[in-house]
Each structure stands twice: as C-alpha cells, then as structure tokens.
Amino acid sequence: MSLRTIHVAAVVLTASLAMAGCSSSSGEGAGSLFGPKDPKAAAMEVAATYMDAAKRDDWKTACPLESQGFLHGTVEQCVATNTEDETSAPASSGGPDRAEVGPSKASDVVEVPAVGKHPAGYGVLVTYTYTWPGKPTETSRVALRLVEEGGSWRVDQRKEVRPKDMARMPDMPGLVRALLTAGGQ
C-alpha cells in the first residue's frame, strides 16, 4: 500500500469519525450518519412509552411526556394529582383485583391539523390488551395527539376509541384524525 493511499484512507476515516461524533442518536429528531430520525417513528415511540407508563400508574414517567397545554400545571403537580390516593400495586402486576396489561403498540400515524387549543401534530393510535383474572383478554385503543415542544414529542390530547367509533368508521387513520379534531376541542 502506498503512502498516498494510506493518507487518503486516514483522511476519509477521520472525516467519518468527526461526522459520527457530531451527530446524536439519543434525542427525538436527532441526526445520524444516515439523516434525521423519522418524526413519525419518534412520535410513535413517545405514544407507546406514555401509554405504558400511564397504564402502570407510573406518572413520574408519563407526566414529563405531556405537553404544557395537556399538563394543566407543572410535571410535579401532574405526578402529585395522579398519585394522591395510590396505595395499590401497579396495574401491570396483576393480582386478584387487578388486570394484567400487555405492552402498548403504536400505529396508524396521521397528520392532524391545529384545532382549538391543540397545535398541529401527529395523531397516533395506541392499542393494548388487558386481562382480568378469570376473564378473556380484551383490547383497548386510544388516539393520542403528539406535538413537537422543546425539540421533543409530547402528548397533547387523549381520546378513548370505543367499539362503536370503530364500527362507524373502520378506517383507523381516518378515525384517529376524526377523534382528535372533532368539535375543535
């Protein structure tokens, strides 16, 4: 190998390492050698994390994922309000009077326009299962509006998806959009 070939290889390697060192893969929307993280994927990740935490009554994790408009106060107030009367085990632990709750799955991401007090963002359908002792497994669905706030995705709106909603509008992306924009609320 010639000295010139080694020099060119060293320059290319140094430039590649410098680019890798300048990028970050830890934050929402963060860049990498392959470009920025997909905003829809980042919103889906936050939606699933939020619902998993909320189902477990883990408000120390869920409250920081809420937007300022959805919090109605500070993160600390949100945690305190949601844990005031909490003396039982987390929802995911099961037990004679608790449901066993499965992991959340986020899907059907759609753009949602600004409406009322809610900024434009993404609507995400979050699905999870739960089983009460001695009963069959049931599925629940929630539509969440996620908005970009401070460089991260935050939950700004939450609507339960009822079976009658799904019967009326079986197109899930359309249903998510309709639920999150209905009545401008």
Side-chain angles (χ1 to χ4, degrees):
M1 197 181 257
S2 74
L3 187 57
R4 179 174 168 85
T5 305
I6 292 172
H7 179 71
V8 169
V11 169
V12 169
L13 178 60
T14 302
S16 296
L17 290 173
M19 286 175 56
C22 292
S23 68
S24 167
S25 61
S26 61
E28 275 70 41
S32 71
L33 287 176
F34 305 106
K37 186 172 183 179
D38 175 25
K40 288 183 177 183
M44 286 175 46
E45 185 177 320
V46 169
T49 300
Y50 173 81
M51 282 307 301
D52 280 340
K55 291 180 311 192
R56 290 189 322 269
D57 292 327
D58 177 4
W59 296 102
K60 288 180 181 178
T61 300
C63 290
L65 297 176
E66 294 181 358
S67 71
Q68 286 300 308
F70 196 59
L71 270 175
H72 306 294
T74 66
V75 169
E76 292 77 18
Q77 290 169 326
C78 173
V79 171
T81 299
N82 286 294
T83 58
E84 279 177 351
D85 298 322
E86 209 173 275
T87 56
S88 60
S92 63
S93 68
D97 61 344
R98 300 295 301 222
E100 186 68 36
V101 182
S104 298
K105 179 181 179 255
S107 65
D108 298 301
V109 180
V110 293
E111 290 185 22
V112 289
V115 60
K117 65 180 181 170
H118 303 290
Y122 288 119
V124 179
L125 179 69
V126 180
T127 305
Y128 59 93
T129 60
Y130 60 95
T131 307
W132 290 96
K135 303 214 175 181
T137 299
E138 295 184 39
T139 300
S140 286
R141 292 171 183 82
V142 177
L144 298 176
R145 176 187 295 260
L146 283 99
V147 298
E148 202 164 8
E149 188 176 85
S152 297
W153 290 100
R154 303 277 186 243
V155 175
D156 192 68
Q157 187 180 15
R158 178 178 170 173
K159 295 283 187 179
E160 297 296 320
V161 179
R162 302 170 302 182
K164 70 179 186 178
D165 297 328
M166 293 173 20
R168 181 178 47 88
M169 183 179 273
D171 169 44
M172 287 299 115
L175 178 58
V176 167
R177 186 178 291 111
L179 288 172
L180 296 175
T181 59
Q185 299 176 19

